[in-house]
Amino acid sequence: MACREVASEVVLIDIKEGLSEGKMLDMYQCSTLMDFDTKVVGATNDYKTTANSDVVVITSGIPRKPGMTREELIGTNAGIMKGVIENVIKYSPRAIIIVVANPMDTLTYLALKASGLPKNRIIGMGGALDSARFKCYLAKATGANINNVDGMVIGGHGDTTMIPLVSKATVNGVPVSQFASKKKLEEAVANTMVGGATLTKLIGTSAWYAPGAGAAMMVEAILNDQKKMVPCCCYLDGEYGQKDICIGVPAIIGRKGIEKIVKIDLTKEEAEKFAASAEAVRKTNNILHEIKAL
């Protein structure tokens, strides 16, 4: 966000003493080298420094370790999310909130219910990241320039719940099926679905760069009122045949947050996968009640 100068000020807050201050000092020292002049501030557990934020990005929680699923994080991260939400609302009552923490769909749902904010102001980031990973693997499969590749991932932000939409994927408007075999495209889908787990295994913790860029893109779409269509985690109230759930679908993102949920035609197989994905997300949501987070 600082490098792209999407905001006049970026505040980083963490509970670990000195971490945010150190990160932000490091960033500030590279500002002349990277040619940006965004004001950057770091603070240890002091939400007053975030007061009157337009957008808040929540990454709080323990990260995944190798072999760990996003769903296994829920007990610890649900408690952290409730505490963070309380402080965010206290100091920035008009903020639009982007949830990155995992399990993302369930924590987005928790953030919505715990905050009492309208559904347009709570957005989960998963689909933006998953779609970027899908485009990466499509570019590898087709040999195309990655910036000519378009693809979308909907459904839950989980290794078994996300749905990369091959039927909608293109290279500069031309279906990817004209550039890659069915087998290669199936491999691209499979690699996308374990994209996060692959990185966790390789580097020993959750990914950094692509999730950060995904969040920055969404913040920019909000602050600049770009009306950009982004696959992201939204609260559904009848759309796609689902109610009372936060799950990934394409939406128009602008100054009001989620401004419109976009209904796209799914194949029968895609629709069935989406229903199954929603059911899996609901099961994880039910744990919130079991642990009395809701």
Side-chain angles (χ1 to χ4, degrees):
M1 285 188 282
C3 288
R4 291 171 68 155
E5 297 184 316
V6 303
S8 58
E9 181 177 357
V10 177
V11 179
L12 186 66
I13 186 170
D14 198 272
I15 61 170
K16 186 175 180 180
E17 185 72 37
L19 180 63
S20 297
E21 293 89 336
K23 287 278 188 182
M24 283 312 208
L25 184 58
D26 194 14
M27 289 184 204
Y28 191 49
Q29 289 170 357
C30 80
S31 58
T32 58
L33 301 171
M34 300 289 288
D35 193 28
F36 69 86
D37 56 9
T38 306
K39 182 181 180 183
V40 291
V41 177
T44 299
N45 218 26
D46 179 10
Y47 282 85
K48 290 193 294 291
T49 59
T50 71
N52 300 314
S53 294
D54 292 307
V55 183
V56 174
V57 179
I58 301 178
T59 64
S60 308
I62 59 170
R64 277 207 288 176
K65 295 178 175 61
M68 197 177 195
T69 67
R70 294 179 175 93
E71 290 72 24
E72 287 172 329
L73 301 175
I74 189 168
T76 300
N77 287 354
I80 294 171
M81 175 62 74
K82 289 188 76 174
V84 171
I85 282 291
E86 182 180 340
N87 279 299
V88 168
I89 299 303
K90 179 180 178 180
Y91 290 101
S92 300
R94 295 184 299 277
I96 292 169
I97 296 172
I98 297 175
V99 177
V100 178
N102 281 314
M104 194 273 310
D105 303 282
T106 295
L107 291 184
T108 301
Y109 183 78
L110 175 61
L112 179 67
K113 297 296 183 178
S115 68
L117 292 178
K119 61 183 180 180
N120 62 296
R121 287 172 54 192
I122 304 285
I123 317 170
M125 193 272 293
L129 172 61
D130 296 333
S131 297
R133 287 174 171 162
F134 188 32
K135 293 173 193 177
C136 158
Y137 289 114
L138 286 173
K140 289 175 175 288
T142 60
N145 182 307
I146 193 167
N147 290 309
N148 282 342
V149 175
D150 196 20
M152 181 188 301
V153 177
I154 63 171
H157 180 58
D159 299 352
T160 60
T161 55
M162 68 180 74
I163 307 159
L165 299 177
V166 175
S167 68
K168 304 289 188 290
T170 63
V171 177
N172 234 2
V174 180
V176 289
S177 56
Q178 293 193 27
F179 299 91
S181 66
K182 183 179 179 182
K183 182 182 178 182
K184 280 196 169 186
L185 293 175
E186 287 173 348
E187 289 174 354
V189 167
N191 288 333
T192 300
M193 294 179 73
V194 295
T198 300
L199 285 164
T200 303
K201 184 177 180 181
L202 289 169
I203 63 179
T205 187
S206 295
W208 300 69
Y209 301 116
M217 178 271 288
M218 292 180 71
V219 172
E220 187 171 19
I222 293 166
L223 294 181
N224 293 339
D225 197 23
Q226 291 179 339
K227 315 293 187 189
K228 182 178 284 189
M229 188 168 78
V230 180
C232 54
C233 184
C234 307
Y235 181 80
L236 300 186
D237 188 20
E239 299 91 347
Y240 290 88
Q242 300 294 331
K243 292 177 74 75
D244 193 35
I245 189 172
C246 291
I247 195 169
V249 292
I252 302 300
I253 304 298
R255 196 62 187 84
K256 295 178 182 177
I258 298 169
E259 302 203 346
K260 180 183 179 183
I261 291 175
V262 179
K263 182 68 171 71
I264 57 174
D265 293 328
L266 301 176
T267 66
K268 182 182 178 184
E269 182 182 7
E270 290 166 348
E272 289 173 351
K273 286 182 178 179
F274 188 82
S277 179
E279 185 59 31
V281 170
R282 285 184 203 284
K283 285 182 179 178
T284 309
N285 289 354
N286 288 338
I287 299 174
L288 294 173
H289 296 285
E290 293 172 14
I291 63 175
K292 295 183 169 43
L294 279 179

